[in-house]
């Protein structure tokens, strides 16, 4: 029988996930890891070709040479987003070879990976340790995956590999440009995606590293975002991704009057709070509301005659325009969302590719998430204690990944611009369905009907005390939503745990349970 313990957030979590003992969440900054970093196997130059050509004839040959067998952990990456085709091909080959009980360790999954449900059903894949967006999440929520999912932030994923919590047997790195030795980047080729930072830990720590490209160039492939010295095998294939789907995500400014109002109020709040000033820094995502906030920031900066020291990307055409106009000195890019972002990274030395190691890894000697002045994020739910949820909906289904969301909570001022309700369902609730981020780290909630400031941010409340903005308590916002929509019915769950939510330090902050059909 599964044993449960209550963690520091008051959530009941199992003592074991996939038969591995877990550490319960102990509070922000409370857990101190012990020991040393995991180390990959020692290799010798004597086992690799003197001419530096590590190519094999096909992806299947690469998997055979890498020693694919039952029970291994296979990692892939989401630089190609919904245009990825390689992950599906890997498990097609594994099924053909009769391999079973694999663990898939993606940095994220997308609807294009619905193809893999057949292998979860047949036993080729045992479980997924990575975000499960859309169909895969729904499949897991229905209790159909044999193992339990594990969801980590981007930084948490790097931390898990570095610390040895996850041992990658074979890492498959799809690269838009590579040489036969294994040096690779995402800047050139039909499938150019900008950067390959999510694959960095895999290239450094996996037992076997395979680089797959449809754009093989002569040595050296410059710049090398992945170093060939960390690569065992290279493969040239016809196609690694669908270009028109690689550049995905919401990269258009919202046209919704409510969302535009939220964006304008967010920018005005930041201005009145004194956050937009010479040399400040900010991060905003690629959603329609976030893009609009960035544009409003630009208008304020032009009016004040100031510039930002850096912006943390996801980069897109709007951020690049601000950068090339001189409003932003540097882009520290974690994920490139459109072709303008790819072009800028290729052409501008101050548009720098980064990885979860530099910006998000909590088990390091500091990272620059805490250096960002303004962080703009989203959420599916927020409760009256400012706790937030980004992985499940109000119906309890697991439909989203964490991404870098948790890691960004360590910014100096974290703002969630969210609608007061979606589809007539209030977004502010008594208690979030799934706890992904503690309210201690969330400072401001901006909705179309008012702004709630976390009471612990007395400095912000003082600066806005004479503002004409609609400053309200979070309880007032919740009551207003319920007056319009009614109080939502909570989803019903079975006792079965289908996934664990890891906090940035590798502890378990919450779990997702099977939906009661």
């Amino acid at each position: 029988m599964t044993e449960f313990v209550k963690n520091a957030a008051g959530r009941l979590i199992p003592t074991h996930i996939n038969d591995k003992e877990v550490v319960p969440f102990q509070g922000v900054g409370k857990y101190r890891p012990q020991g040393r970093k995991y180390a990959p196997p020692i290799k010798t130059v004597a086992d690799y070709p003197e001419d530096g050509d590590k190519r094999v004839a096909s992806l299947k040959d690469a998997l055979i040479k890498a020693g694919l067998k039952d029970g291994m952990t296979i990692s892939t990456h989401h630089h190609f987003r919904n245009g990825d085709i390689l992950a599906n091909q890997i498990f097609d080959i594994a099924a053909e070879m009769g391999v079973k009980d694999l663990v898939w360790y993606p940095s994220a999954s997308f609807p294009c990976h619905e193809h893999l449900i057949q292998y979860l059903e047949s036993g080729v894949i045992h479980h997924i340790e990575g975000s499960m967006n859309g169909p895969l999440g729904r499949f897991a929520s229905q209790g159909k995956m044999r193992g339990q999912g594990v969801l980590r932030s981007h930084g948490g994923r790097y931390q898990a590999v570095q610390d040895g919590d996850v041992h990658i047997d074979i890492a498959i790195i799809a690269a838009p440009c590579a040489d036969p030795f294994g040096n690779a980047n995402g800047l050139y080729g039909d499938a150019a995606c900008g950067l390959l930072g999510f694959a960095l830990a895999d290239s450094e720590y996996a037992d076997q590293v395979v680089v797959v490209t449809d754009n093989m160039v002569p040595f050296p492939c410059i710049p090398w975002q992945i170093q060939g010295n960390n690569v065992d095998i290279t493969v040239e294939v016809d196609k690694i991704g669908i270009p028109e789907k690689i550049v995905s995500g919401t990269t258009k400014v919202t046209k919704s009057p409510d969302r535009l109002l939220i964006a304008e109020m967010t920018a005005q709040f930041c201005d009145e709070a004194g956050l937009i000033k010479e040399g400040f820094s900010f991060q905003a995502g690629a959603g329609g509301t976030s893009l609009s906030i960035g544009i409003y920031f630009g208008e304020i900066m032009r009016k004040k005659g100031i510039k930002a020291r850096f912006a943390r990307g996801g980069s897109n055409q709007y951020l690049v325009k601000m950068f090339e106009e001189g409003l932003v000195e540097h882009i520290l890019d974690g994920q490139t969302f459109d072709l303008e972002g790819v072009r800028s990274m290729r052409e501008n030395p101050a548009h720098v590719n980064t990885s979860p190691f530099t910006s998000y890894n909590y088990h390091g000697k500091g990272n620059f998430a805490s250096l960002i002045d303004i962080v703009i994020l989203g959420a599916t739910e927020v409760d009256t204690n400012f706790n937030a949820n980004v992985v499940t909906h109000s119906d309890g289904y697991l439909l989203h990944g964490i991404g870098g969301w948790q890691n960004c909570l360590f910014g100096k001022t974290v703002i969630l611009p969210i609608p007061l309700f979606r589809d007539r369902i209030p977004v502010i609730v008594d208690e979030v369905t799934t706890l992904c981020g503690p309210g201690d780290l969330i400072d401001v909630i901006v909705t179309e009907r008012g702004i709630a400031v976390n009471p612990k941010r007395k400095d912000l409340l003082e600066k806005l005390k004479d503002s004409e903005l609609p400053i309200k308590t979070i309880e007032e916002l919740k009551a207003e939503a319920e007056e319009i929509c009614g109080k939502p019915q909570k989803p019903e769950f079975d006792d079965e745990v289908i996934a664990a939510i890891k906090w940035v330090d590798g502890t378990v902050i919450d779990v997702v349970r099977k939906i009661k059909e």
Side-chain angles (χ1 to χ4, degrees):
M1 186 174 176
T2 305
E3 289 184 51
F4 287 81
V5 295
K6 189 174 285 189
N7 66 17
R11 299 284 172 140
L12 279 175
I13 65 160
T15 57
H16 292 74
I17 295 288
N18 296 316
D19 298 323
K20 290 171 64 175
E21 188 175 359
V22 301
V23 179
F25 175 68
Q26 298 175 12
V28 176
K30 301 295 186 184
Y31 175 60
R32 293 292 187 276
Q34 301 295 318
R36 295 184 174 274
K37 294 179 183 179
Y38 170 78
I42 296 172
K43 303 290 179 81
T44 172
V45 170
D47 292 335
Y48 295 86
E50 287 187 6
D51 64 1
D53 191 341
K54 301 174 184 175
R55 283 179 290 184
V56 296
S58 69
L59 182 57
K60 182 175 182 179
D61 289 339
L63 291 171
I64 291 171
K65 185 171 183 180
L68 181 65
K69 63 182 181 181
D70 293 354
M72 280 187 163
T73 296
I74 311 298
S75 73
T76 63
H77 314 93
H78 74 284
H79 304 107
F80 303 114
R81 293 181 276 280
N82 207 36
D84 177 48
I85 58 177
L86 202 60
N88 291 341
Q89 292 175 348
I90 291 165
F91 292 103
D92 286 344
I93 293 167
E96 178 189 327
M97 292 172 61
V99 177
K100 297 281 188 180
D101 293 326
L102 297 173
V103 177
W104 183 32
Y105 188 57
S107 55
S109 67
F110 282 81
C112 63
H113 299 119
E114 184 176 5
H115 176 81
L116 299 180
I117 287 176
Q118 61 184 309
Y119 300 133
L120 286 161
E121 292 173 332
S122 69
V124 175
I125 302 173
H126 184 267
H127 69 275
I128 300 170
E129 297 207 12
S131 74
M132 288 175 276
N133 294 302
L136 288 171
R138 187 167 291 277
F139 179 87
S141 287
Q142 293 167 344
K144 295 179 179 178
M145 191 162 69
R146 287 184 300 145
Q148 293 158 313
V150 182
L151 279 72
R152 299 175 174 88
S153 64
H154 289 325
R157 185 180 186 277
Y158 191 102
Q159 167 266 316
V161 176
Q162 167 198 277
D163 293 3
D165 292 343
V166 174
H167 172 96
I168 302 172
D169 294 290
I170 305 174
I172 310 291
I173 302 174
C177 187
D179 62 35
F181 186 66
N183 300 306
N185 68 53
L187 299 177
Y188 302 96
D190 291 339
C193 60
L195 52 81
L196 301 178
F198 294 109
L200 181 64
D202 311 57
S203 72
E204 293 175 332
Y205 291 100
D207 286 0
Q208 292 284 323
V209 178
V210 180
V211 164
V212 184
T213 188
D214 55 8
N215 180 32
M216 191 73 77
V217 299
F219 179 93
C221 173
I222 299 293
W224 49 54
Q225 297 169 338
I226 299 296
Q227 292 190 348
N229 295 80
N230 291 326
V231 176
D232 296 276
I233 302 164
T234 58
V235 187
E236 187 173 9
V237 298
D238 292 334
K239 196 172 189 178
I240 56 170
I242 303 169
E244 56 269 25
K245 294 184 178 180
I246 287 171
V247 178
S248 63
T250 306
T251 55
K252 293 182 180 178
V253 172
T254 182
K255 294 181 180 178
S256 161
D258 283 351
R259 303 298 192 272
L260 283 171
L261 177 60
I262 292 170
E264 187 174 9
M265 288 168 62
T266 302
Q268 187 179 340
F269 178 93
C270 291
D271 190 21
E272 292 188 20
L275 302 175
I276 301 176
K277 58 188 177 183
E278 180 64 34
F280 83 110
S281 56
F282 67 93
Q283 172 164 352
T289 305
S290 296
L291 292 176
S292 302
I293 292 168
I295 290 172
Y296 284 121
F297 276 9
E299 291 177 1
I300 294 168
M301 292 161 70
R302 289 185 195 96
K303 190 180 296 183
K304 288 187 166 187
I306 62 174
K307 58 186 176 182
R309 177 60 177 164
F310 70 90
R312 174 72 169 126
S315 68
N316 54 67
Q317 58 181 314
Y318 305 102
L319 181 56
V320 167
K321 185 177 179 182
M322 291 174 68
F323 168 63
E324 294 185 337
E325 185 184 335
L327 293 175
V328 176
E329 291 184 35
H330 301 83
I331 297 177
L332 305 180
D333 202 338
Q335 187 169 181
T336 319
F337 284 111
D338 63 21
L339 293 178
E340 271 296 278
V342 176
R343 177 197 62 77
S344 176
M345 184 180 291
R346 193 164 53 231
E347 296 177 0
N348 293 312
H351 185 159
V352 181
N353 78 87
T354 69
S355 78
F357 170 75
T358 56
S359 54
Y360 289 158
N361 176 25
Y362 199 71
H363 288 174
K365 299 178 181 181
N367 63 53
F368 63 69
S370 60
L371 305 181
I372 304 172
D373 293 307
I374 305 170
V375 174
I376 307 294
L377 300 170
T380 59
E381 292 178 321
V382 179
D383 67 27
T384 51
N385 291 313
F386 285 80
N387 299 311
N389 173 18
V390 291
V391 298
T392 55
H393 282 203
S394 54
D395 60 5
Y397 275 94
L398 174 62
L399 296 174
H400 300 287
I402 297 171
W405 186 90
Q406 287 179 333
N407 310 111
C408 297
L409 295 180
F410 290 88
K412 293 177 183 176
T413 299
V414 176
I415 303 173
L416 307 187
I418 54 176
L420 194 60
F421 46 84
R422 295 186 184 97
D423 300 323
R424 304 289 296 179
I425 299 172
V427 171
I428 299 175
V429 295
D430 291 315
E431 184 179 64
V432 289
T433 305
T434 308
L435 176 60
C436 298
D440 287 347
L441 298 176
I442 295 167
D443 300 298
V444 185
I445 308 297
V446 182
T447 76
E448 71 278 17
R449 293 173 180 268
I451 299 172
V453 179
N454 193 321
K456 74 182 181 65
R457 289 301 304 266
K458 292 182 173 57
D459 57 326
L460 295 177
L461 288 166
E462 176 64 24
K463 287 178 180 176
L464 274 294
K465 66 181 180 182
D466 298 322
S467 174
E468 294 183 3
L469 287 167
I471 307 297
K472 303 177 180 179
T473 67
I474 198 163
E475 289 82 8
E476 288 172 333
L477 289 178
K478 175 178 172 291
E480 193 168 339
E482 290 176 358
E483 186 177 343
I484 296 168
C485 304
K487 199 172 178 74
Q489 187 175 355
K490 284 189 167 290
E492 292 189 49
F493 298 99
D494 284 343
D495 292 333
E496 181 185 345
V497 171
I498 61 100
I501 309 299
K502 290 289 189 92
W503 179 234
V504 296
D505 58 6
T507 61
V508 175
I509 192 169
D510 206 354
V511 294
V512 182
R513 287 176 168 79
K514 178 184 174 183
I515 289 288
K516 204 175 263 190
E517 297 291 347

